[in-house]
Amino acid sequence: MNNVNGILLVVGAMAAFALEDMFIKHLSVTVPTGQIMVLLGLSCGLVFVGMAVFTRKRIFDAAAWQTLPLIRALCEGFGAVAFVTALSLVDLSTVAAVFQAMPLVVTMGAALFLGEQVGWRRWSAIGVGFIGVLLIIRPGLDGFQPETLFVVASVVAIAARDLITRRLDVRVASAVVAMQAYGAVTIAGFVLISMAGQPVVALNQAQFGPFLGAIGFGVLGYYGIVSAMRIGDASALTPFRYTRLVFSIAAGMLMFGERPDMMTVAGASLILGSGLYTFLRERRLARSLAVAT
């Protein structure tokens, strides 16, 4: 049942992340990306500090500050810089589409480095989903912009982050893991402001609502994905990251007037179909194991 519960957590997290992306893209029109990262990193980081204290988790446990958790935080910071930059330059639906290459990267990494068993059915489902992504991206055509390379860089970093999550010491609380990640995002934001020479602007009243939305959904999404990756197999859960594309397309249509064409709809349908197939298969496996025991 761990994989089934993990799948539900991933779907919920993807919906939350899509809404967070929507608010960040809206803010990036008037607020520099580095400043957005600093504000989100500090705010979300403080929320997770509060959660850790409230649940009596040890923030400064030695296990949480070993090399592996720190490398994970570094991947988080790099991936956040690349992703937020892409959001400021590319349509939300396009960013989400390119980002869907990550499940394939994570599954390959899980098979190669974590020793997880990936059968032909999972590979087939992920392959179908990836074909759907290609229909949306259309490499070499107008649908693929040079700026989407920022998303590719983010894909590599976030895939490494998720694979490292599977190897973290179980004594390290998820709230502490998330706190470290948002600390890295804050530092990366300051570096981006400094290196890119971005100005720091004063926020007006109309920008507080989007910031609160980004913070709230970011916290929900991040806690959900960390929890999911720690209870389920990465190769079983990652196909459901494709659902972020569907949520993002809906957000792009409602908020920014983006209109996906027929190829985008066809690709999204393949993505949904592959995810649904994997979910039903995991549920059947869970029931068979329950009956056997």
Side-chain angles (χ1 to χ4, degrees):
M1 288 296 295
N2 279 348
N3 280 344
V4 175
N5 293 334
I7 286 169
L8 295 175
L9 282 170
V10 169
V11 173
M14 293 304 104
F17 280 139
L19 291 171
E20 180 194 23
D21 294 343
M22 180 189 72
F23 285 120
I24 291 174
K25 184 170 181 61
H26 175 71
L27 288 166
S28 68
V29 177
T30 54
V31 182
T33 53
Q35 184 176 348
I36 292 174
M37 292 178 61
V38 169
L39 292 174
L40 288 179
L42 287 174
S43 302
C44 296
L46 287 174
V47 170
F48 283 113
V49 168
M51 290 176 61
V53 172
F54 181 77
T55 56
R56 300 181 183 274
K57 304 299 183 183
R58 296 179 57 188
I59 295 176
F60 297 105
D61 191 316
W65 300 95
Q66 300 295 324
T67 302
L68 202 59
L70 295 180
I71 293 175
R72 183 192 183 282
L74 180 64
C75 293
E76 184 75 53
F78 180 81
V81 170
F83 190 78
V84 172
T85 301
L87 278 176
S88 68
L89 299 173
V90 184
D91 286 349
L92 178 59
S93 55
T94 302
V95 171
V98 179
F99 200 73
Q100 301 316 304
M102 192 177 67
L104 182 61
V105 178
V106 173
T107 299
M108 292 175 63
L112 293 174
F113 302 114
L114 301 184
E116 292 185 8
Q117 297 298 316
V118 180
W120 68 269
R121 291 181 178 85
R122 283 186 187 172
W123 280 114
S124 298
I126 292 172
V128 169
F130 191 60
I131 291 172
V133 172
L134 292 178
L135 287 176
I136 298 169
I137 300 174
R138 282 154 277 183
L141 302 178
D142 292 340
F144 188 83
Q145 305 171 36
E147 292 84 357
T148 56
L149 292 176
F150 284 110
V151 195
V152 174
S154 180
V155 165
V156 175
I158 301 304
R161 178 204 72 184
D162 284 353
L163 291 171
I164 292 172
T165 302
R166 295 287 296 161
R167 290 302 187 192
L168 293 182
D169 194 312
V170 294
R171 294 174 296 172
V172 183
S174 295
V176 176
V177 173
M179 178 202 72
Q180 291 175 324
Y182 279 110
V185 170
T186 303
I187 295 171
F190 278 120
V191 171
L192 184 59
I193 290 172
S194 176
M195 294 185 63
Q198 295 182 351
V200 176
V201 302
L203 300 182
N204 58 50
Q205 188 174 3
Q207 293 165 332
F208 284 113
F211 259 116
L212 290 175
I215 292 167
F217 286 113
V219 168
L220 289 174
Y222 201 90
Y223 193 80
I225 197 65
V226 170
S227 300
M229 294 301 294
R230 300 188 76 176
I231 67 173
D233 294 335
S235 53
L237 303 184
T238 49
F240 290 87
R241 289 182 178 274
Y242 287 135
T243 59
R244 184 173 183 168
L245 173 59
V246 180
F247 296 129
S248 294
I249 288 175
M253 292 175 64
L254 294 173
M255 187 71 179
F256 307 110
E258 299 173 6
R259 291 293 181 268
D261 56 21
M262 289 303 298
M263 288 188 69
T264 300
V265 173
S269 298
L270 287 178
I271 292 167
L272 278 176
S274 65
L276 180 60
Y277 169 79
T278 305
F279 175 76
L280 293 174
R281 175 168 171 75
E282 287 298 323
R283 189 169 64 176
R284 286 198 300 269
L285 289 175
R287 288 176 176 174
S288 298
L289 288 174
V291 171
T293 55

